[in-house]
């Protein structure tokens, strides 16, 4: 990678700004001052420093699992709430994209990567990667209401504003106010809208897993890189 590009990616300086600090003698590569912006550097093996501080960029694509807590937005731009990338300490956060966003008040598994093709495979319904949600309802549903809801969810629901019904899904009740919903698609606010179809409201929502990926070993706000084996299964 060209040195000026490396500096720009590692610091978010523009190429022009990167060249200025190089010309000022502030950049060293393997302990040698370098002023040539076209110098090729190895992002893995070369030691690049700015005023004595090491710089680094990602080598290859990154695949990250975050246990999203409530109160964080799934966006890469600052809005009303803190953003989820504030919970992750990796360089080049701006290149990460999110697979299947969660609402501010929703917790659970969130996948991020800078590999666009992989993100598409994770989210596309045709790849049939099941997502499991755990939900709490505002109103209790008796056994008759539960049975009707389970049957309707398995058939598919035509939600207001949609042209096609939801794909068949699995609804399992734990008790009168708690349930588990397994989906293979991700329509806008789908879980909340599906429960709204039955005249109910979701008060708490948690995504427990995405495909074969779950949150085992993580606490809220924790993250980890996926293993190559986990990445390959999508």
């Amino acid at each position: 990678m060209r040195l000026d590009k490396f500096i720009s990616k590692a610091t978010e300086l523009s190429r022009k700004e990167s060249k200025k600090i190089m010309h000022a003698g502030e950049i060293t590569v393997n302990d040698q001052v370098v002023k040539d912006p076209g110098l090729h550097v190895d992002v893995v093996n070369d030691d690049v420093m700015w005023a004595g501080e090491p710089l680094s960029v990602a080598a290859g694509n990154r695949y990250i699992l975050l246990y999203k807590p409530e109160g964080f937005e799934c966006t890469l731009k600052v809005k009303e709430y803190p953003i989820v990338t504030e919970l992750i300490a990796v360089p080049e956060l701006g290149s990460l994209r999110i697979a299947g966003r969660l609402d501010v008040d929703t917790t659970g598994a969130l996948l991020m990567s800078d590999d666009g093709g992989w993100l598409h495979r994770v989210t596309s319904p045709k790849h049939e990667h099941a997502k499991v949600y755990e939900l709490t309802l505002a109103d209790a549903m008796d056994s008759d209401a539960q049975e009707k809801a389970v049957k309707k969810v398995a058939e598919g629901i035509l939600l207001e504003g949609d042209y096609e019904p939801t794909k068949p899904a699995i609804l399992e009740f734990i008790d009168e106010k708690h349930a588990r919903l397994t989906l293979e698609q991700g329509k806008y606010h789908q879980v909340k809208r599906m429960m709204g179809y039955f005249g109910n409201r979701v008060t708490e929502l948690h995504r427990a897993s995405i495909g074969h990926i779950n949150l085992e070993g993580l606490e809220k706000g924790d993250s980890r890189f996926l293993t190559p084996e986990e990445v390959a299964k999508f």
Side-chain angles (χ1 to χ4, degrees):
M1 182 184 297
R2 281 177 56 103
L3 182 55
D4 58 347
K5 181 178 180 181
F6 179 98
I7 296 169
S8 181
K9 289 173 70 66
T11 64
E12 298 188 0
L13 294 175
S14 67
R15 291 283 192 95
K16 184 177 181 179
E17 291 169 331
S18 298
K19 290 174 182 177
K20 283 184 178 180
I21 64 174
M22 292 173 64
H23 291 156
E26 298 179 18
I27 297 295
T28 62
V29 178
N30 301 325
D31 297 324
Q32 299 295 318
V33 173
V34 177
K35 298 185 178 182
D36 178 10
L39 176 74
H40 180 82
V41 294
D42 185 318
V43 299
V44 176
N45 297 313
D46 285 336
D47 294 322
V48 182
M49 306 190 81
W50 177 15
E53 294 295 327
L55 299 179
S56 64
V57 299
N61 294 120
R62 296 161 299 166
Y63 308 87
I64 297 171
L65 168 66
L66 169 69
Y67 187 160
K68 178 193 172 297
E70 53 275 281
F72 283 80
E73 284 194 289
C74 290
T75 179
L76 300 178
K77 297 180 180 179
V78 177
K79 291 189 177 180
E80 182 178 356
Y81 296 89
I83 58 179
V84 290
T85 50
E86 294 179 18
L87 299 167
I88 301 173
V90 297
E92 298 181 71
L93 286 171
S95 65
L96 292 174
R97 295 295 179 266
I98 298 168
R101 299 185 177 196
L102 296 175
D103 291 341
V104 170
D105 59 350
T106 301
T107 65
L110 193 68
L111 293 176
M112 288 181 276
S113 179
D114 45 17
D115 182 343
W118 185 83
L119 291 171
H120 176 73
R121 292 196 298 275
V122 171
T123 57
S124 174
K126 73 177 183 180
H127 291 287
E128 300 182 342
H129 296 303
K131 294 174 282 292
V132 179
Y133 294 87
E134 298 170 352
L135 51 141
T136 300
L137 299 171
D139 303 315
M141 296 179 70
D142 61 26
S143 57
D144 287 342
Q146 291 180 26
E147 184 177 348
K148 291 178 182 177
V150 168
K151 181 179 180 181
K152 186 61 181 175
V153 167
E155 294 172 349
I157 300 172
L158 183 60
L159 299 173
E160 184 177 356
D162 288 355
Y163 297 101
E164 295 181 352
T166 58
K167 292 184 66 175
I170 301 172
L171 178 62
E172 305 165 277
F173 279 89
I174 300 169
D175 57 37
E176 291 186 337
K177 295 186 71 172
H178 297 87
R180 183 178 297 108
L181 181 62
T182 303
L183 305 173
E184 290 182 351
Q185 64 183 150
K187 289 177 175 286
Y188 179 71
H189 288 168
Q190 182 170 348
V191 177
K192 294 177 180 178
R193 292 167 67 204
M194 289 175 75
M195 294 302 103
Y197 177 87
F198 302 109
N200 215 321
R201 181 171 58 87
V202 176
T203 59
E204 294 182 17
L205 185 59
H206 173 78
R207 185 157 64 195
S209 62
I210 303 172
H212 55 286
I213 303 296
N214 59 48
L215 294 165
E216 183 178 357
L218 296 182
E219 300 290 337
K220 285 184 180 180
D222 289 348
S223 63
R224 67 172 178 85
F225 287 101
L226 299 186
T227 66
E229 292 76 18
E230 289 173 326
V231 172
K233 288 182 179 179
F234 283 104

